[in-house]
Coordinates of all heavy atoms in Angstrom, one line a residue:
M9 N 83.0 -58.0 178.4 CA 84.1 -57.7 179.3 C 85.2 -58.7 178.9 O 84.9 -59.9 178.8 CB 83.7 -57.9 180.7 CG 84.9 -57.8 181.7 SD 84.3 -57.8 183.4 CE 85.8 -57.4 184.1
S10 N 86.4 -58.3 178.8 CA 87.5 -59.1 178.4 C 88.5 -59.2 179.6 O 88.7 -58.3 180.3 CB 88.3 -58.5 177.2 OG 87.5 -58.5 176.1
W11 N 89.1 -60.4 179.7 CA 90.1 -60.6 180.7 C 91.4 -60.4 179.9 O 91.6 -61.0 178.8 CB 90.0 -62.1 181.2 CG 91.1 -62.4 182.2 CD1 91.4 -61.8 183.4 CD2 92.1 -63.4 182.1 NE1 92.5 -62.3 184.0 CE2 92.9 -63.4 183.2 CE3 92.3 -64.4 181.1 CZ2 94.0 -64.3 183.4 CZ3 93.4 -65.3 181.4 CH2 94.2 -65.2 182.5
I12 N 92.3 -59.6 180.4 CA 93.5 -59.3 179.6 C 94.6 -60.3 179.6 O 95.6 -60.3 178.9 CB 94.1 -57.9 180.0 CG1 94.5 -57.9 181.5 CG2 93.1 -56.8 179.8 CD1 95.4 -56.7 181.9
G13 N 94.5 -61.3 180.5 CA 95.5 -62.4 180.5 C 96.4 -62.4 181.7 O 96.4 -61.4 182.5
P14 N 97.2 -63.4 181.9 CA 98.1 -63.5 183.0 C 99.1 -62.4 183.0 O 99.6 -62.0 181.9 CB 98.8 -64.8 182.9 CG 98.0 -65.6 181.8 CD 97.3 -64.6 181.0
A15 N 99.4 -61.8 184.2 CA 100.3 -60.7 184.3 C 101.7 -61.0 183.8 O 102.4 -60.1 183.3 CB 100.4 -60.2 185.7
T16 N 102.1 -62.3 183.8 CA 103.4 -62.7 183.4 C 103.5 -63.1 181.9 O 104.6 -63.4 181.4 CB 103.9 -63.8 184.2 OG1 103.0 -64.9 184.1 CG2 104.1 -63.4 185.7
A17 N 102.4 -63.1 181.2 CA 102.4 -63.5 179.8 C 102.9 -62.5 178.9 O 102.7 -61.3 179.1 CB 100.9 -63.9 179.4
D18 N 103.4 -62.9 177.7 CA 103.9 -61.9 176.7 C 102.6 -61.4 176.0 O 101.5 -61.9 176.1 CB 104.8 -62.6 175.7 CG 104.2 -63.9 175.1 OD1 103.5 -64.6 175.8 OD2 104.5 -64.1 173.9
E19 N 102.8 -60.3 175.3 CA 101.7 -59.7 174.6 C 101.5 -60.3 173.2 O 102.5 -60.7 172.5 CB 101.9 -58.2 174.5 CG 101.7 -57.5 175.8 CD 101.5 -56.0 175.6 OE1 101.9 -55.4 174.5 OE2 101.1 -55.3 176.6
V20 N 100.3 -60.3 172.7 CA 99.9 -60.7 171.4 C 99.0 -59.7 170.8 O 98.5 -58.9 171.4 CB 99.3 -62.1 171.4 CG1 100.2 -63.2 171.9 CG2 98.0 -62.1 172.2
T21 N 98.8 -59.8 169.5 CA 97.9 -58.9 168.7 C 96.6 -59.6 168.5 O 96.5 -60.7 168.1 CB 98.5 -58.5 167.4 OG1 99.8 -57.9 167.6 CG2 97.6 -57.5 166.6
V22 N 95.5 -58.9 168.9 CA 94.2 -59.5 168.8 C 93.8 -59.6 167.3 O 93.9 -58.6 166.5 CB 93.1 -58.6 169.5 CG1 91.7 -59.1 169.3 CG2 93.5 -58.5 171.0
P23 N 93.4 -60.7 166.8 CA 93.0 -60.9 165.4 C 91.6 -60.3 165.1 O 90.8 -60.1 166.1 CB 93.0 -62.4 165.2 CG 92.6 -62.9 166.5 CD 93.2 -62.0 167.5
D24 N 91.3 -60.1 163.9 CA 89.9 -59.7 163.5 C 89.1 -60.9 163.2 O 89.4 -61.7 162.3 CB 90.0 -58.8 162.2 CG 88.7 -58.2 161.8 OD1 87.7 -58.5 162.5 OD2 88.6 -57.5 160.8
V25 N 88.1 -61.2 164.1 CA 87.3 -62.4 163.9 C 85.8 -62.0 163.5 O 85.0 -62.9 163.3 CB 87.3 -63.3 165.2 CG1 88.7 -63.8 165.5 CG2 86.7 -62.5 166.4
V26 N 85.5 -60.7 163.4 CA 84.2 -60.3 163.0 C 83.9 -60.8 161.5 O 84.7 -60.7 160.6 CB 84.0 -58.8 163.1 CG1 82.7 -58.3 162.5 CG2 84.2 -58.3 164.5
G27 N 82.7 -61.4 161.4 CA 82.3 -61.9 160.1 C 82.7 -63.4 159.9 O 82.2 -64.0 158.9
L28 N 83.5 -63.9 160.8 CA 83.8 -65.4 160.6 C 82.8 -66.3 161.4 O 82.2 -65.8 162.3 CB 85.2 -65.6 161.3 CG 86.4 -64.8 160.7 CD1 87.7 -65.2 161.5 CD2 86.5 -65.2 159.2
L29 N 82.7 -67.5 160.9 CA 81.9 -68.5 161.6 C 82.6 -68.8 162.9 O 83.9 -68.7 163.0 CB 81.7 -69.7 160.8 CG 80.9 -69.5 159.5 CD1 80.8 -70.9 158.7 CD2 79.6 -68.9 159.7
V30 N 81.9 -69.1 163.9 CA 82.5 -69.3 165.3 C 83.6 -70.3 165.3 O 84.7 -70.1 165.9 CB 81.4 -69.7 166.3 CG1 82.0 -70.1 167.6 CG2 80.5 -68.5 166.5
P31 N 83.5 -71.5 164.6 CA 84.6 -72.4 164.7 C 85.9 -71.8 164.1 O 87.0 -72.0 164.6 CB 84.2 -73.7 163.8 CG 82.7 -73.6 163.9 CD 82.3 -72.1 163.9
R32 N 85.8 -71.1 163.0 CA 87.0 -70.5 162.4 C 87.5 -69.4 163.3 O 88.7 -69.2 163.4 CB 86.6 -69.9 161.0 CG 87.7 -69.2 160.3 CD 88.9 -70.1 159.9 NE 89.9 -69.4 159.3 CZ 91.2 -69.4 159.7 NH1 91.6 -70.2 160.7 NH2 92.1 -68.7 159.1
A33 N 86.6 -68.6 163.9 CA 87.0 -67.5 164.8 C 87.8 -68.1 166.0 O 88.8 -67.6 166.4 CB 85.8 -66.7 165.3
R34 N 87.3 -69.2 166.5 CA 88.0 -69.9 167.6 C 89.4 -70.4 167.2 O 90.3 -70.2 168.0 CB 87.1 -71.1 168.1 CG 87.6 -71.7 169.4 CD 86.7 -72.9 169.8 NE 85.3 -72.7 169.7 CZ 84.5 -72.1 170.6 NH1 85.1 -71.7 171.7 NH2 83.2 -72.0 170.5
T35 N 89.5 -70.9 166.0 CA 90.8 -71.4 165.6 C 91.8 -70.2 165.4 O 92.9 -70.2 165.8 CB 90.7 -72.1 164.2 OG1 89.9 -73.3 164.5 CG2 92.0 -72.6 163.7
L36 N 91.3 -69.1 164.7 CA 92.1 -68.0 164.5 C 92.6 -67.3 165.8 O 93.7 -67.0 166.0 CB 91.4 -67.0 163.6 CG 92.2 -65.7 163.2 CD1 93.4 -66.2 162.3 CD2 91.3 -64.8 162.4
A37 N 91.7 -67.2 166.8 CA 92.0 -66.7 168.1 C 93.0 -67.5 168.8 O 94.0 -67.0 169.3 CB 90.7 -66.6 168.9
R38 N 92.8 -68.8 168.8 CA 93.8 -69.7 169.4 C 95.2 -69.6 168.8 O 96.2 -69.5 169.5 CB 93.3 -71.2 169.3 CG 94.2 -72.2 170.0 CD 93.7 -73.6 170.0 NE 93.4 -74.1 168.7 CZ 92.2 -74.4 168.2 NH1 91.1 -74.3 169.0 NH2 92.0 -74.8 167.0
Q39 N 95.3 -69.5 167.4 CA 96.5 -69.3 166.8 C 97.2 -68.0 167.1 O 98.4 -67.9 167.2 CB 96.3 -69.4 165.2 CG 96.0 -70.8 164.8 CD 95.6 -70.8 163.3 OE1 95.3 -69.8 162.7 NE2 95.5 -72.0 162.7
A40 N 96.4 -67.0 167.4 CA 96.9 -65.7 167.8 C 97.3 -65.7 169.3 O 98.0 -64.8 169.7 CB 95.9 -64.6 167.5
G41 N 96.9 -66.6 170.1 CA 97.2 -66.7 171.5 C 96.2 -66.2 172.4 O 96.5 -66.0 173.6
V42 N 94.9 -66.0 171.9 CA 93.8 -65.5 172.8 C 92.7 -66.5 172.7 O 92.7 -67.5 171.9 CB 93.3 -64.1 172.4 CG1 94.5 -63.1 172.6 CG2 92.8 -64.1 171.0
V43 N 91.7 -66.4 173.6 CA 90.6 -67.3 173.7 C 89.3 -66.5 173.5 O 89.1 -65.5 174.2 CB 90.6 -68.0 175.1 CG1 89.4 -68.9 175.2 CG2 91.9 -68.7 175.4
I44 N 88.4 -67.0 172.6 CA 87.2 -66.3 172.4 C 86.2 -66.7 173.5 O 86.2 -67.9 173.9 CB 86.6 -66.4 171.0 CG1 86.2 -67.8 170.6 CG2 87.5 -65.8 170.0 CD1 85.4 -67.9 169.3
T45 N 85.4 -65.8 174.0 CA 84.5 -66.1 175.0 C 83.2 -65.3 174.8 O 83.1 -64.4 173.9 CB 85.0 -65.6 176.4 OG1 85.2 -64.2 176.4 CG2 86.3 -66.3 176.7
A46 N 82.1 -65.6 175.5 CA 80.9 -64.9 175.5 C 81.1 -63.5 176.2 O 82.0 -63.4 177.0 CB 79.8 -65.7 176.2
P47 N 80.3 -62.5 175.8 CA 80.5 -61.2 176.4 C 80.2 -61.1 177.9 O 80.9 -60.3 178.6 CB 79.4 -60.4 175.7 CG 79.0 -61.1 174.5 CD 79.3 -62.6 174.8
D48 N 79.4 -62.0 178.4 CA 79.0 -62.0 179.9 C 79.8 -63.0 180.6 O 79.6 -64.2 180.4 CB 77.5 -62.2 180.1 CG 77.1 -62.2 181.5 OD1 78.0 -61.9 182.4 OD2 75.9 -62.3 181.8
P49 N 80.8 -62.6 181.4 CA 81.7 -63.6 182.0 C 80.9 -64.5 183.1 O 81.3 -65.5 183.4 CB 82.7 -62.8 182.7 CG 82.2 -61.4 182.8 CD 81.2 -61.3 181.7
D50 N 79.7 -64.0 183.5 CA 78.9 -64.7 184.5 C 77.8 -65.5 183.8 O 77.1 -66.3 184.5 CB 78.3 -63.7 185.5 CG 79.3 -63.0 186.3 OD1 80.3 -63.7 186.7 OD2 79.1 -61.8 186.6
G51 N 77.7 -65.4 182.5 CA 76.7 -66.2 181.8 C 77.2 -67.5 181.2 O 78.3 -67.9 181.6
P52 N 76.4 -68.1 180.4 CA 76.8 -69.4 179.9 C 78.0 -69.3 178.9 O 78.3 -68.2 178.4 CB 75.6 -69.9 179.1 CG 74.6 -68.8 179.1 CD 75.1 -67.7 180.0
P53 N 78.8 -70.4 178.8 CA 79.9 -70.3 177.9 C 79.5 -70.1 176.4 O 78.4 -70.4 176.0 CB 80.6 -71.6 178.1 CG 79.5 -72.5 178.6 CD 78.6 -71.7 179.4
L54 N 80.4 -69.6 175.6 CA 80.1 -69.4 174.2 C 79.6 -70.6 173.5 O 78.7 -70.6 172.7 CB 81.4 -68.8 173.5 CG 81.2 -68.4 172.1 CD1 80.2 -67.2 172.0 CD2 82.5 -68.0 171.4
S55 N 80.2 -71.8 173.8 CA 79.8 -73.0 173.2 C 78.3 -73.3 173.4 O 77.6 -73.9 172.6 CB 80.7 -74.2 173.7 OG 80.6 -74.3 175.1
A56 N 77.8 -73.0 174.6 CA 76.4 -73.2 174.9 C 75.5 -72.2 174.2 O 74.4 -72.5 173.8 CB 76.1 -73.1 176.4
L57 N 76.0 -71.0 174.0 CA 75.2 -70.0 173.3 C 75.2 -70.2 171.8 O 74.3 -69.6 171.1 CB 75.8 -68.6 173.6 CG 75.8 -68.2 175.1 CD1 76.5 -66.9 175.2 CD2 74.3 -68.0 175.5
T58 N 76.1 -70.9 171.2 CA 76.2 -71.0 169.8 C 76.0 -72.5 169.3 O 76.6 -72.9 168.3 CB 77.6 -70.5 169.3 OG1 78.6 -71.3 169.9 CG2 77.8 -69.1 169.5
W59 N 75.1 -73.2 170.0 CA 74.8 -74.5 169.6 C 73.3 -74.7 169.8 O 72.8 -74.2 170.9 CB 75.5 -75.5 170.5 CG 75.2 -76.9 170.1 CD1 75.9 -77.7 169.1 CD2 74.2 -77.8 170.5 NE1 75.3 -78.9 169.0 CE2 74.3 -79.0 169.9 CE3 73.2 -77.6 171.5 CZ2 73.4 -80.1 170.1 CZ3 72.3 -78.7 171.7 CH2 72.4 -79.9 171.0
P60 N 72.6 -75.3 169.0 CA 73.0 -75.9 167.7 C 73.0 -74.8 166.6 O 72.6 -73.6 166.9 CB 72.0 -76.9 167.4 CG 70.7 -76.4 168.0 CD 71.2 -75.7 169.3
G61 N 73.3 -75.1 165.5 CA 73.2 -74.2 164.3 C 74.6 -73.6 163.9 O 75.6 -74.0 164.4
T62 N 74.5 -72.7 163.0 CA 75.7 -72.1 162.4 C 75.6 -70.6 162.9 O 74.6 -69.9 162.6 CB 75.7 -72.2 160.9 OG1 75.6 -73.5 160.5 CG2 77.0 -71.5 160.3
W63 N 76.7 -70.2 163.5 CA 76.8 -68.8 164.1 C 78.0 -68.1 163.5 O 79.0 -68.6 163.3 CB 76.9 -69.0 165.6 CG 75.7 -69.6 166.2 CD1 75.4 -70.9 166.3 CD2 74.7 -68.9 167.0 NE1 74.2 -71.1 166.9 CE2 73.8 -69.8 167.4 CE3 74.5 -67.6 167.3 CZ2 72.7 -69.5 168.1 CZ3 73.4 -67.2 168.0 CH2 72.5 -68.2 168.4
R64 N 77.7 -66.7 163.3 CA 78.8 -65.8 162.8 C 79.0 -64.8 163.9 O 78.1 -64.2 164.5 CB 78.3 -65.2 161.5 CG 79.3 -64.2 161.0 CD 78.9 -63.6 159.6 NE 77.5 -63.3 159.6 CZ 76.7 -63.5 158.5 NH1 77.3 -64.0 157.4 NH2 75.5 -63.2 158.5
V65 N 80.3 -64.4 164.0 CA 80.7 -63.3 164.9 C 80.3 -62.0 164.3 O 80.6 -61.7 163.2 CB 82.2 -63.4 165.2 CG1 82.7 -62.2 166.1 CG2 82.7 -64.7 165.8
T66 N 79.6 -61.2 165.1 CA 79.2 -59.9 164.7 C 79.9 -58.7 165.3 O 79.9 -57.6 164.8 CB 77.7 -59.7 164.9 OG1 77.4 -59.8 166.3 CG2 76.9 -60.7 164.1
A67 N 80.6 -59.0 166.5 CA 81.3 -57.9 167.2 C 82.3 -58.6 168.1 O 82.2 -59.7 168.5 CB 80.3 -57.1 168.0
Q68 N 83.4 -57.8 168.4 CA 84.4 -58.3 169.3 C 85.0 -57.2 170.2 O 84.9 -56.0 169.8 CB 85.5 -59.0 168.5 CG 86.4 -58.0 167.7 CD 87.6 -58.7 167.0 OE1 87.3 -59.4 166.1 NE2 88.8 -58.4 167.4
S69 N 85.5 -57.6 171.3 CA 86.1 -56.7 172.3 C 87.2 -57.4 173.0 O 86.9 -58.5 173.6 CB 85.1 -56.2 173.3 OG 85.7 -55.3 174.2
P70 N 88.4 -56.9 173.0 CA 88.9 -55.7 172.3 C 88.9 -55.8 170.8 O 88.8 -56.9 170.2 CB 90.3 -55.5 172.9 CG 90.7 -56.9 173.3 CD 89.5 -57.6 173.7
A71 N 89.1 -54.6 170.2 CA 89.1 -54.5 168.7 C 90.4 -55.2 168.1 O 91.4 -55.4 168.8 CB 89.1 -53.1 168.4
A72 N 90.2 -55.6 166.9 CA 91.3 -56.2 166.1 C 92.5 -55.2 166.2 O 92.3 -54.0 166.1 CB 90.9 -56.5 164.7
G73 N 93.7 -55.8 166.3 CA 94.9 -54.9 166.3 C 95.4 -54.5 167.7 O 96.5 -54.1 167.9
T74 N 94.5 -54.7 168.7 CA 94.8 -54.3 170.1 C 95.8 -55.3 170.6 O 95.8 -56.5 170.2 CB 93.5 -54.4 170.9 OG1 92.5 -53.5 170.4 CG2 93.8 -54.1 172.4
R75 N 96.7 -54.8 171.5 CA 97.7 -55.7 172.1 C 97.1 -56.1 173.4 O 96.6 -55.3 174.2 CB 99.0 -55.0 172.3 CG 99.7 -54.5 171.0 CD 100.3 -55.6 170.2 NE 101.4 -56.2 170.9 CZ 102.1 -57.3 170.6 NH1 101.7 -57.9 169.5 NH2 103.1 -57.7 171.2
M76 N 97.2 -57.4 173.7 CA 96.8 -57.9 175.0 C 97.7 -59.1 175.4 O 98.5 -59.6 174.6 CB 95.3 -58.3 175.0 CG 95.0 -59.5 174.2 SD 93.2 -59.9 174.0 CE 92.8 -60.1 175.7
R77 N 97.6 -59.6 176.6 CA 98.4 -60.7 177.1 C 97.9 -62.0 176.5 O 96.7 -62.2 176.4 CB 98.5 -60.7 178.6 CG 99.1 -59.5 179.2 CD 99.2 -59.6 180.7 NE 99.5 -58.3 181.3 CZ 98.9 -57.7 182.2 NH1 97.8 -58.3 182.8 NH2 99.2 -56.6 182.7
R78 N 98.9 -62.9 176.2 CA 98.6 -64.2 175.7 C 97.6 -64.9 176.7 O 97.8 -64.7 177.9 CB 99.9 -65.0 175.6 CG 99.7 -66.4 175.0 CD 101.0 -67.1 174.7 NE 101.8 -66.3 173.8 CZ 101.7 -66.3 172.5 NH1 100.8 -67.1 171.9 NH2 102.5 -65.6 171.7
R79 N 96.7 -65.6 176.2 CA 95.7 -66.4 176.9 C 94.6 -65.5 177.5 O 93.8 -65.9 178.3 CB 96.3 -67.3 178.0 CG 97.1 -68.4 177.4 CD 97.6 -69.4 178.4 NE 98.5 -68.8 179.5 CZ 99.8 -68.4 179.4 NH1 100.4 -68.6 178.2 NH2 100.4 -67.9 180.4
G80 N 94.6 -64.2 177.1 CA 93.5 -63.3 177.5 C 92.2 -63.6 176.7 O 92.2 -64.4 175.8
S81 N 91.1 -63.0 177.2 CA 89.8 -63.3 176.6 C 89.4 -62.3 175.5 O 89.5 -61.1 175.7 CB 88.7 -63.2 177.7 OG 89.0 -64.2 178.6
L82 N 89.0 -62.8 174.4 CA 88.4 -62.0 173.3 C 86.9 -62.2 173.3 O 86.4 -63.3 172.9 CB 89.0 -62.4 172.0 CG 88.5 -61.8 170.7 CD1 88.6 -60.2 170.8 CD2 89.2 -62.3 169.5
A83 N 86.1 -61.3 173.9 CA 84.7 -61.4 174.0 C 84.1 -61.2 172.6 O 84.4 -60.2 171.9 CB 84.1 -60.4 175.0
V84 N 83.2 -62.0 172.2 CA 82.5 -61.9 170.9 C 81.0 -62.0 171.0 O 80.5 -62.6 171.9 CB 83.0 -63.0 169.9 CG1 84.5 -62.8 169.6 CG2 82.7 -64.4 170.4
E85 N 80.3 -61.3 170.2 CA 78.9 -61.4 170.0 C 78.6 -62.1 168.7 O 79.3 -61.9 167.7 CB 78.2 -60.0 170.0 CG 78.4 -59.3 171.4 CD 77.7 -57.9 171.4 OE1 76.8 -57.7 170.5 OE2 78.2 -57.1 172.2
C86 N 77.5 -62.9 168.7 CA 77.3 -63.8 167.5 C 75.8 -63.7 167.1 O 75.0 -63.4 167.9 CB 77.6 -65.2 167.8 SG 79.4 -65.4 168.3
E87 N 75.6 -64.0 165.8 CA 74.2 -64.2 165.3 C 74.1 -65.5 164.7 O 75.0 -66.0 164.0 CB 73.9 -63.1 164.3 CG 74.6 -63.2 163.0 CD 74.2 -62.2 162.0 OE1 73.3 -61.4 162.2 OE2 74.9 -62.1 160.9
R88 N 72.9 -66.1 164.8 CA 72.6 -67.4 164.2 C 72.3 -67.2 162.7 O 71.4 -66.3 162.4 CB 71.5 -68.2 164.9 CG 71.3 -69.5 164.3 CD 70.4 -70.3 165.1 NE 70.3 -71.7 164.5 CZ 69.6 -72.7 165.0 NH1 68.9 -72.5 166.1 NH2 69.6 -73.8 164.4
L89 N 72.9 -68.0 161.8 CA 72.5 -67.9 160.4 C 71.3 -68.8 160.1 O 71.1 -69.8 160.8 CB 73.7 -68.3 159.6 CG 75.0 -67.5 159.8 CD1 76.1 -68.0 158.9 CD2 74.7 -66.0 159.5
P90 N 70.6 -68.5 159.1 CA 69.5 -69.3 158.7 C 69.9 -70.7 158.4 O 71.0 -70.9 157.9 CB 68.9 -68.7 157.5 CG 69.4 -67.3 157.4 CD 70.7 -67.3 158.2
D91 N 69.1 -71.7 158.8 CA 69.4 -73.1 158.5 C 69.5 -73.3 157.0 O 68.7 -72.8 156.2 CB 68.4 -74.1 159.1 CG 68.5 -74.1 160.6 OD1 69.6 -73.8 161.1 OD2 67.4 -74.4 161.2
D92 N 70.5 -74.2 156.6 CA 70.6 -74.5 155.2 C 69.8 -75.8 154.9 O 70.2 -76.9 155.4 CB 72.1 -74.7 154.8 CG 72.3 -75.1 153.4 OD1 71.3 -75.0 152.6 OD2 73.4 -75.4 153.0
D93 N 68.7 -75.7 154.2 CA 67.8 -76.8 154.0 C 68.3 -77.6 152.8 O 67.6 -78.5 152.3 CB 66.4 -76.4 153.8 CG 65.8 -75.8 155.1 OD1 66.3 -76.2 156.2 OD2 64.9 -75.0 155.1
G94 N 69.5 -77.3 152.3 CA 70.1 -78.1 151.3 C 69.6 -78.3 150.0 O 69.9 -79.0 149.2

């Protein structure tokens, strides 16, 4: 579930964050004017769900290219990548 943002905010275009690592997705979303969040607004925050380890975004809602209000929520689903044993 996504929060569309404050009623008085201007609109922004949702970026495509699918396939990105969570830190990069968070940066791209912030630059676009939205905030990435966990899919369940009543559950733990995304930072708690994606720690420790390396996580990649596998799905997002709303879809890339959608218009929404600045500071709205971009809900993402993530998968943990195998550990790099170096």
